[in-house]
């Protein structure tokens, strides 16, 4: 991957209200400039304290994921990691110490993680920490792009979502755009279900099922089934051939199958949009 991190200072920011009972929220906007031009910008929301996390990670010929963990407490944190590949096989057990008031940040291909293929990275911490992740990639012009990757606490996520559909409100499809929809199984059991694509709707007319091209075959579909082994992920890639450039979609676990077999846990997911315009 082009673009090392030796020319920047990395750490963490701590905002602490004084004399107030209401917690703050916030985000960091990370901007990348090359040759005096902004080539990438991403917002990193302030995550809650957690002791458990699961996230999609990827390594390609042009990019790789980064995990950052900050320990804002006065006590050292012991963080245990393991990796699960797309088949559900678990390997790469590792442990790291994030010292009090310090920051741990690694490319997933570096020690102690040593991950070289797409999958999920799972971690547990001895005390609450804050964690965030992003994916770095060099485009065709050699410019370093960054995008945010969500981290999910399986238990907290399920409490919040319950049995409601998981909805990603917008993605860009067609008009020079395509999407990778990443679904993460937050449970220890197989998850089955379907992704449903809908039009935007207008006025008093609700969105209706909409076909988009799926995969390299560009097969038109408004529904795509998923079958995800425990602790891992499935990617649904669109071909970018839709004539509508902004189409919301909803993901509903177990809609078409009588036995979703995920127990009390709910799936997590996100979409990333990529330009297919070779001049972009």
């Amino acid at each position: 991957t082009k673009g090392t991190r030796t020319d920047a200072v990395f750490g963490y920011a701590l905002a602490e209200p004084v004399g107030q009972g209401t917690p703050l929220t916030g985000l960091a906007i990370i901007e990348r400039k090359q040759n005096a031009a902004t080539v990438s910008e991403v917002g990193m929301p302030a995550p809650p304290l957690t002791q458990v996390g699961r996230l999609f990670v990827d390594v390609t010929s042009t990019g790789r994921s980064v995990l950052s963990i900050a320990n804002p407490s006065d006590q050292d944190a012991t963080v245990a990691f393991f990796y699960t590949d797309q088949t559900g096989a678990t390997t790469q057990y590792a442990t790291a110490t994030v010292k009090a008031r310090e920051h741990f940040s690694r490319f997933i291909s570096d020690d102690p993680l040593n991950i070289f293929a797409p999958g999920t990275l799972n971690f547990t911490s001895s005390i609450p920490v804050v964690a965030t992740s992003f994916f770095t990639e060099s485009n065709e012009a050699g410019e370093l792009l960054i995008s945010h990757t969500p981290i999910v606490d399986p238990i907290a996520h399920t409490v919040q979502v319950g049995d409601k559909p998981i909805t990603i409100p917008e993605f860009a499809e067609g008009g020079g755009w395509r999407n990778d929809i990443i679904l993460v199984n937050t449970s220890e059991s197989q998850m089955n279900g379907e992704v449903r694509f809908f039009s935007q709707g207008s006025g008093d007319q609700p969105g209706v099922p909409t076909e988009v091209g799926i995969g390299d075959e560009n097969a038109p579909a408004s529904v795509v089934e998923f079958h995800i082994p425990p602790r891992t992920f499935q990617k649904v890639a669109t071909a970018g051939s839709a004539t509508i450039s902004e189409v919301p979609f909803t993901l509903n676990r177990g809609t078409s199958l009588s036995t979703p077999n995920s127990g009390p846990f709910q799936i997590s997911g996100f979409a990333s949009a990529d330009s297919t315009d070779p001049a972009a």
Side-chain angles (χ1 to χ4, degrees), residues 98-112:
V98 185
K99 293 185 177 181
R101 303 282 179 171
E102 290 193 5
H103 167 256
F104 166 97
S105 187
R106 296 287 190 280
F107 285 110
I108 63 165
S109 54
D110 293 343
D111 287 332

Side-chain angles (χ1 to χ4, degrees), residues 195-246:
V195 178
R196 295 180 176 183
F197 296 86
F198 292 92
S199 65
Q200 297 183 84
S202 61
D204 59 354
Q205 300 298 316
V208 298
T210 297
E211 289 188 341
V212 298
I214 300 297
D216 295 336
E217 297 81 10
N218 193 20
S222 62
V223 178
V224 178
E225 291 188 353
F226 61 83
H227 307 278
I228 312 175
R231 301 179 300 280
T232 190
F233 80 100
Q234 181 173 324
K235 180 185 292 187
V236 178
T238 68
S241 59
T243 57
I244 301 174
S245 61
E246 295 179 354

Side-chain angles (χ1 to χ4, degrees), residues 44-243:
M44 293 286 184
L49 286 162
T50 186
Q51 290 183 254
V52 181
R54 180 170 296 169
L55 65 148
F56 170 74
V57 293
D58 201 1
V59 177
T60 70
S61 60
T62 58
R64 49 184 171 167
S65 297
V66 175
L67 174 67
S68 297
I69 298 174
N71 178 8
S73 77
D74 295 322
Q75 177 183 350
D76 291 354
T78 301
V79 184
F81 302 95
F82 67 87
Y83 161 75
T84 303
D85 68 17
Q86 194 165 5
T87 69
T90 296
T91 57
Q92 303 305 102
Y93 294 92
T95 303
T97 298
V98 185
K99 293 185 177 181
R101 303 282 179 171
E102 290 193 5
H103 167 256
F104 166 97
S105 187
R106 296 287 190 280
F107 285 110
I108 63 165
S109 54
D110 293 343
D111 287 332
L113 303 175
N114 298 311
I115 296 169
F116 299 97
T120 61
L121 177 60
N122 305 262
F123 68 85
T124 58
S125 175
S126 59
I127 62 173
V129 294
V130 288
T132 191
S133 178
F134 54 95
F135 184 72
T136 67
E137 184 171 24
S138 295
N139 66 11
E140 291 80 358
E143 299 165 332
L144 185 66
L145 310 180
I146 51 179
S147 58
H148 178 242
T149 301
I151 298 175
V152 62
D153 177 330
I155 297 175
H157 174 71
T158 298
V159 169
Q160 180 181 20
V161 175
D163 59 357
K164 300 179 182 65
I166 302 299
T167 303
I168 299 176
E170 184 175 359
F171 74 101
E173 171 67 13
W177 294 90
R178 58 168 298 279
N179 297 267
D180 286 331
I181 300 156
I182 309 297
L183 312 178
V184 176
N185 184 341
T186 62
S187 78
E188 303 300 306
S189 302
Q190 173 98 5
M191 274 190 174
N192 308 302
E194 61 185 23
V195 178
R196 295 180 176 183
F197 296 86
F198 292 92
S199 65
Q200 297 183 84
S202 61
D204 59 354
Q205 300 298 316
V208 298
T210 297
E211 289 188 341
V212 298
I214 300 297
D216 295 336
E217 297 81 10
N218 193 20
S222 62
V223 178
V224 178
E225 291 188 353
F226 61 83
H227 307 278
I228 312 175
R231 301 179 300 280
T232 190
F233 80 100
Q234 181 173 324
K235 180 185 292 187
V236 178
T238 68
S241 59
T243 57

